[in-house]
DNA sequence: GCGTAGCCTTACTCACGAGTAGGTATAAAT
DNA sequence: ATTTATACCTACTCGTGAGTAAGGCTACGC
């Protein structure tokens, strides 16, 4: 339980007998690491501040002193992890490419992130989305960015379809479904981790780009350079 | 808290002064109704047995006497609501039709159910899927049944004579994504309830049957009889 | 009538966990 | 050397909510 978090309890290779007394910024990082871990294991309510403090290798009052209440702590955890995901995906979202490739690369980036940050993903997925109050706001921001991208793609390309209003609503709905499908597939992947991130991304593309109709005809999606 | 200790919440319009003393089966139904409602409002942890008892119009020990612990009660709620959904969808799943129409009708049935049973859906999706332990098992069982149906549909249709192994894995993954997309779209719908169940089903078909590629070309899905 | 079984209640116990009071020890500043 | 600030702790309070003890009221069989 305790190992593998935050690079151990003592900072640096210093052999002194008093490894304690670390500066605030370091402790805050450790606390957040612990919080993400514990929240991901037990969910918001079943996670206790005592356990978070213990995992962080510090006493409870320090947690309160640095990060505030349990809500504040959870909020901070979400914000930090959400930023990670967003940045991981945003890096690949360079403009001037085909929507198809943007989507594919976005999926690859996402699944790569999930495979390397399971705890982060667990915290974000459905913990943040579910609880009422301030957590939802953090989550919604990330979701809105996805919706934005999807809507942009639609307006950019297929604006023949009708009023901009209708397109926007349609885009929102599709983005929601898209995100849900991706999340769900990520969950499934955690139980069947044989496939590579690229393979998972290709599966997503088969479903949401080609569509089920094509799939039933045996027409799965493959990257352009292999066609 | 409530002024009306004996009046008010009892079912039946009888004006008699002693409407209490109902048989066990009736009380159990009332308790489950109350439980679904309260759980859907507050989530598992924030729902208190006291409130469930109060909403059911009964005292707390009765709840424990009839339905057992809080976990048992939640479990029973999930099981009952899950059965409802499955049956609603299963009714429309008559064999001998095209996969396309089976899928569409399944979506219509599902979205119709959700629109008429918001609390059920909240309990099932937003809660059961998230809480760990025995609750997740109930949920997973239901989800697996849907996934199984979808993947057999795919294998049956798409692989006349080849690659059963690969198709099976592929099918499971895609079914998981498909279910996730549907769930997620249902959640979105609860915040944007303007559209009809048919419209929502059509949106799902646009995404997962036609695919995003077609959508960007303005090619949305429409029911066959309108083509 | 009288027992027994089932419906139903008030009024507790008890554990758990968020948040805090109040104090110690070490490093930096003067 | 003394003050000040910061890191850090043990040991509490206190509300909340799951679960229970112990008994009352109503009906129905005999």
């Amino acid at each position: 339980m305790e190992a593998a978090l935050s690079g151990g309890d003592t900072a640096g290779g210093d052999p002194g007998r008093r490894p304690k007394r670390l500066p605030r910024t370091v402790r805050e990082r450790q606390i957040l690491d612990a919080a993400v871990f514990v929240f991901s294991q037990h969910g918001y309510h079943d996670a206790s501040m005592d356990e978070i403090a213990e995992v962080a290798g510090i006493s409870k009052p320090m947690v309160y002193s640095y990060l505030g209440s349990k809500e504040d702590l959870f909020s901070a955890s979400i914000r930090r992890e959400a930023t990670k995901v967003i940045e991981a995906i945003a890096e690949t979202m360079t403009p001037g490419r085909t929507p198809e490739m943007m989507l594919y690369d976005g999926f690859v980036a996402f699944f790569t992130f999930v495979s390397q940050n399971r705890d982060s993903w667990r915290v974000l997925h459905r913990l943040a989305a579910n609880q009422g109050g301030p957590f939802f706001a953090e989550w919604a921001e990330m979701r809105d960015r996805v919706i934005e991208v999807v809507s942009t793609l639609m307006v950019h390309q297929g604006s023949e379809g009708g009023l901009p209003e209708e397109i926007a609503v349609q885009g929102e709905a599709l983005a929601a479904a898209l995100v849900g499908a991706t999340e769900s597939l990520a969950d499934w992947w955690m139980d069947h981790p044989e496939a590579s991130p690229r393979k998972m991304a290709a599966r997503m593309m088969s479903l949401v780009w080609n569509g089920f109709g094509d799939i039933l005809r045996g027409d799965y999606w493959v990257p352009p350079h292999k066609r």
Side-chain angles (χ1 to χ4, degrees), chain A:
Chain A
M1 292 200 186
E2 60 273 15
L5 272 187
S6 73
D9 21 351
T10 59
D14 131 310
R17 319 124 96 274
R18 295 300 195 80
K20 309 215 162 195
R21 211 132 242 266
L22 300 176
R24 175 170 185 150
T25 51
V26 175
R27 284 298 190 203
E28 284 182 345
R29 225 202 53 229
Q30 291 176 342
I31 293 170
L32 279 178
D33 289 343
V36 168
F37 177 74
V38 174
F39 281 134
S40 78
Q41 298 297 309
H42 306 305
Y44 177 72
H45 258 287
D46 281 343
S48 77
M49 295 297 269
D50 289 278
E51 186 178 353
I52 291 172
E54 190 189 330
V55 170
I58 207 173
S59 71
K60 198 164 50 154
M62 292 305 294
V63 177
Y64 280 90
S65 165
Y66 284 167
L67 275 307
S69 71
K70 191 180 184 183
E71 280 202 4
D72 293 338
L73 181 56
F74 190 58
S75 213
S77 305
I78 303 275
R79 218 185 328 260
R80 197 184 67 165
E81 300 310 300
T83 304
K84 279 194 202 166
V85 193
I86 290 176
E87 283 180 355
I89 298 180
E91 272 179 19
T92 74
M93 281 293 175
T94 57
R97 324 215 328 278
T98 66
E100 185 180 1
M101 285 315 287
M102 282 181 70
L103 203 53
Y104 174 64
D105 288 346
F107 284 145
V108 172
F110 170 78
F111 283 109
T112 302
F113 176 88
V114 168
S115 72
Q116 290 164 354
N117 302 272
R118 294 177 139 233
D119 291 343
S120 306
W121 177 241
R122 280 219 139 84
V123 166
L124 287 174
H125 178 53
R126 311 262 160 119
L127 282 187
N130 245 346
Q131 314 287 344
F135 320 136
F136 189 81
E138 324 288 348
W139 173 258
E141 187 194 325
M142 171 180 150
R143 193 184 194 103
D144 283 349
R145 303 220 8 201
V146 177
I147 290 173
E148 201 177 300
V149 169
V150 172
S151 300
T152 310
L153 288 183
M154 295 183 60
V155 173
H156 177 63
Q157 283 266 329
S159 53
E160 327 299 331
L163 308 159
E165 170 75 12
E166 169 64 9
I167 293 266
V169 175
Q170 197 75 270
E172 249 187 73
L174 289 177
L178 208 68
V179 170
T182 315
E183 289 171 354
S184 187
L185 192 59
D187 281 349
W188 178 87
W189 190 30
M190 286 182 155
D191 300 329
H192 305 76
E194 304 85 35
S196 66
R198 293 199 125 74
K199 176 83 182 179
M200 297 307 291
R203 281 181 171 147
M204 276 304 300
M205 288 303 283
S206 284
L207 180 62
V208 305
W209 189 264
N210 282 14
F212 212 69
D214 285 357
I215 293 174
L216 287 190
R217 284 175 225 114
D219 189 5
Y220 291 89
W221 189 89
V222 291
H225 60 84
K226 288 197 177 177
R227 288 173 196 155

